[in-house]
Amino acid sequence: MGSEATVRDQSACENFQIQLTALWTEFMTSGTISPDVRPLIAESWLRSRGYGVDCHNASPQILSPRELQERLDDNREFLDFSSSTLQKINLLARDGDHLLSLHDREGYLLEYVVRHPDHKRRPNSKYVLGAKWDEASVGTNGVGIVLATNLPVQVVGAEHYCADQHAVTCSAAPIHDRAGTILGVLNMSGSYAMSDTRILGLIEAGAFAIESQLALSHSQGVISNTLEAISECLIILDEQLRIVTASRYASTLFGIQREALKERRIEEFFRPSDFKEKVFIGKKPFSYLESTFRIDGRTMSFNVSVTPILSRRKVTGVILLLRESRIINRMANIVAGNSARYNFSDIVTRDSKMLGIIGTMKEIAPTDCTVLLEGESGTGKELFAHSIHTHSERRNGPFVTINCASLPRGLVESELFGYEKGAFTGALGQGNPGKFELADGGTIFLDEVGELPQEIQAKLLRVLDTHRVSRIGGKTEKTLDVRVIAATNRDLQKEVAESHFRRDLYYRINVLKFTIPPLRERVADVSLLAESFLENLNRHAAGNQGSARHKRFSAAFLQCLQRASWPGNVRELQNTVVRAFYASADREELTPGDLPENFSCSEDSREDVSSDCDAVASDTSLRHPEPPSLQEMEKAMILAAVKSRAGDVVRAGQSLGMSKATIYRKIKKHAIDIRLFKS
């Protein structure tokens, strides 16, 4: 029965071939294409005729050995990932003799596999390496149609354009790269009796398999190159939480070879209690703000981003991205503005004592010695602290300032040293680094250090001695690299004698001490500083108002400044100049009348002030009984501007750098009756 079916199949194939031959002959003799010819084949016949292909015995272009080798080298990856697929298809297609061929994007034959090792059994003697099988070379064939249409096709017997291929059936499918561009063609050629659609399906599956291998190789290459290049600590785990691979940076950071990391379980380094639950039940990305890793006896802190890898909603792996806490702290410092803003060139002085202090500070700035700055409030101790930092080797590190006097007593320890998750009621869920941790790699400036509670002084002493800090509620200590600059307006020796400040801490911070002289001891700096402050105000006003006048001091004004005692030091001088600048409204010259009523010149000095000074001071219409608020100064400025322009609001606004809408809004705000000023 089986033999009868085979005979019938062979008979049907022969009849079909006879019909195809008749259709082919009709086209070749008359140019007429029968409707019985498949459109895909008909279009290819027409293209082939247009190319001038010999319909009886076309000869494909064949590369020279050197050209062939160059093309093989150019397609090496393509060939390497296709070779195994060719062998597998060859085993699957067991019926009949056939030839499997692999062609590049131009149709050149790069590799083939035959059913039998005897090359004489090849379906066509033109199947040699380097032969070009596009339509322009050999007319209609499977490879040529695929290259022309980007579609899989089976070409049977006389559907081929050349008569010498009528005994062959070829099944071909395109192979694409990730962008969908044709890389090449997979083709199977054999007897025309092999016109079975299952053969074409097998070839299409083979082409898809090659595409998948190429895509996977590309992805693996991207991942491998990324892991080599990125300066991030990236770790990939499998579903058992074993390390599959890691970035080169992770290997360097851990101090473990990448191959040695593979297969190690992440629990060896990292053990948060909720990790597995979040990965396998939550199945969503999450992070730990800060988590401790224990690596071969060492402790390191990281911010950890966790991304589960899902396949059909099942976790098949995990990606960990680790960032060292010091890097996160550095970013936090940038956001918080924890950087030095001044250097020694910003210190305005011509006092010999001050110049000597600055010279010594420049010499010791590059060291890591602890510095103590003493001086009255307002002498500019913070300015000196900034300058020491910017003149040191730590200039690119953080500069963290903390005013010890401004901290609530119950929060001093957590602010300085940080706390762990759940350390106390109200603590952040992820814990929080303290100022010392934020200053790692840089400088911490402890202003008003004499105000620290004694219980905190003891812990500060330990941090300074060991260079290690332990957070509230923490079980481990972190090594820090921090330079300490402390400042106080108290007499710490007296505080020590009265048992208000720890003696051992005093000697620990008093390695290099500088006493900043008060302003009253450097009279020559008063006018210099005042002029500097005024210049800044003029520059700022010119930038904001455009037409603002350049203001100056009168001689009498400067005499008042130089004879004052300045209990508030440089800060008081600056505030006084600012107040006088705005109180003078649109006048160009600042006079003693612009000073506060309670401004303190010594009695004898006031008698020496010129009569002009007395005359101006007696004009109480330009004075306020107390230092004015900003609102009062703004109202005074507007009143003066409107008055000087006879009630012309628009011109008054222009003189103050205000738009028409703004000046009217402020007039309404301050309830100013402009009718009083109109002539």
Side-chain angles (χ1 to χ4, degrees), residues 534-550:
L534 181 62
E535 180 60 31
N536 288 336
L537 289 167
N538 279 325
R539 190 183 306 114
H540 179 73
N544 289 342
Q545 301 174 14
S547 61
R549 297 177 180 178
H550 190 84

Side-chain angles (χ1 to χ4, degrees), residues 481-514:
D481 175 23
V482 178
R483 182 187 196 163
V484 176
I485 300 177
T488 181
N489 59 5
R490 293 190 177 195
D491 183 344
L492 284 190
Q493 281 188 316
K494 182 179 178 182
E495 295 293 311
V496 170
E498 295 176 355
S499 300
H500 296 151
F501 197 83
R502 290 181 63 103
R503 185 179 301 275
D504 47 7
L505 178 59
Y506 172 69
Y507 288 118
R508 186 63 183 80
I509 63 175
N510 187 19
V511 178
L512 293 167
K513 184 173 77 170
F514 296 92

Side-chain angles (χ1 to χ4, degrees), residues 387-670:
S387 301
I388 292 171
H389 174 79
T390 54
H391 204 72
S392 73
E393 300 298 324
R394 299 171 177 269
R395 65 180 66 90
N396 295 322
F399 180 82
V400 179
T401 299
I402 185 164
N403 189 314
C404 303
S406 67
L407 295 175
R409 191 179 185 90
L411 296 179
V412 176
E413 184 176 6
S414 62
E415 282 292 311
L416 286 176
F417 310 118
Y419 57 84
E420 295 290 358
K421 174 182 177 181
F424 51 84
T425 303
L428 293 177
Q430 297 286 359
N432 200 50
K435 299 294 187 182
F436 269 89
E437 284 185 61
L438 292 176
D440 192 22
T443 302
I444 187 167
F445 176 50
L446 301 175
D447 198 9
E448 305 297 349
V449 69
E451 306 295 331
L452 283 176
Q454 286 209 345
E455 62 271 20
I456 303 302
Q457 293 178 25
K459 187 163 185 177
L460 174 60
L461 176 64
R462 174 171 172 75
V463 172
L464 297 180
D465 282 338
T466 65
H467 300 285
R468 298 174 67 86
V469 66
S470 175
R471 292 184 182 181
I472 299 174
K475 298 179 180 178
T476 59
E477 289 187 324
K478 298 181 181 181
T479 301
L480 300 178
D481 175 23
V482 178
R483 182 187 196 163
V484 176
I485 300 177
T488 181
N489 59 5
R490 293 190 177 195
D491 183 344
L492 284 190
Q493 281 188 316
K494 182 179 178 182
E495 295 293 311
V496 170
E498 295 176 355
S499 300
H500 296 151
F501 197 83
R502 290 181 63 103
R503 185 179 301 275
D504 47 7
L505 178 59
Y506 172 69
Y507 288 118
R508 186 63 183 80
I509 63 175
N510 187 19
V511 178
L512 293 167
K513 184 173 77 170
F514 296 92
T515 301
I516 312 301
L519 186 57
R520 62 181 173 275
E521 294 180 8
R522 38 194 182 105
V523 179
D525 282 348
V526 173
S527 60
L528 185 65
L529 287 165
E531 292 287 359
S532 175
F533 298 145
L534 181 62
E535 180 60 31
N536 288 336
L537 289 167
N538 279 325
R539 190 183 306 114
H540 179 73
N544 289 342
Q545 301 174 14
S547 61
R549 297 177 180 178
H550 190 84
K551 298 192 177 187
R552 63 183 183 276
F553 296 129
S554 68
F557 186 93
L558 283 175
Q559 281 183 330
C560 284
L561 295 185
Q562 289 173 325
R563 292 174 178 174
S565 58
W566 299 116
N569 292 292
V570 179
R571 187 182 296 122
E572 182 188 2
L573 173 61
Q574 182 177 22
N575 292 341
T576 299
V577 173
V578 171
R579 187 265 183 205
F581 183 89
Y582 290 110
S584 63
D586 61 344
R587 287 184 289 106
E588 292 185 6
E589 188 172 71
L590 276 63
T591 67
D594 298 316
L595 293 167
E597 180 72 25
N598 59 352
F599 182 76
S600 58
C601 280
S602 61
E603 290 300 323
D604 57 338
S605 67
R606 284 202 179 269
E607 293 174 0
D608 294 334
V609 177
S610 67
S611 59
D612 180 58
C613 175
D614 293 333
V616 176
S618 64
D619 185 359
T620 56
S621 65
L622 295 176
R623 301 177 65 83
H624 294 276
E626 294 181 358
S629 66
L630 290 176
Q631 297 295 331
E632 290 171 332
M633 286 194 293
E634 182 179 70
K635 182 177 180 179
M637 290 170 61
I638 294 173
L639 280 169
V642 173
K643 180 180 179 180
S644 66
R645 283 152 183 83
D648 189 329
V649 174
V650 175
R651 287 181 59 213
Q654 289 173 345
S655 71
L656 297 172
M658 298 180 184
S659 66
K660 180 179 178 180
T662 300
I663 188 69
Y664 272 108
R665 177 167 52 81
K666 290 186 178 293
I667 285 173
K668 181 179 180 181
K669 170 185 172 183
H670 294 296

Side-chain angles (χ1 to χ4, degrees), residues 30 54 59 75 96 113 137 218 240 247 295 390 399 415 423 475 495 516 588 593 664:
S30 66
D54 184 347
S59 298
N75 289 273
V113 178
S137 299
H218 176 81
Q240 302 298 322
S247 65
I295 305 164
T390 54
F399 180 82
E415 282 292 311
K475 298 179 180 178
E495 295 293 311
I516 312 301
E588 292 185 6
Y664 272 108

Side-chain angles (χ1 to χ4, degrees), residues 67 87 112 164 236 244 282 332 345 353 361 371 380 393 417 574 596 652 670:
E67 292 172 329
Q87 298 297 337
Y112 63 82
D164 63 346
I236 300 177
V244 176
S345 63
K353 186 174 182 181
M361 284 184 175
V371 175
E393 300 298 324
F417 310 118
Q574 182 177 22
H670 294 296

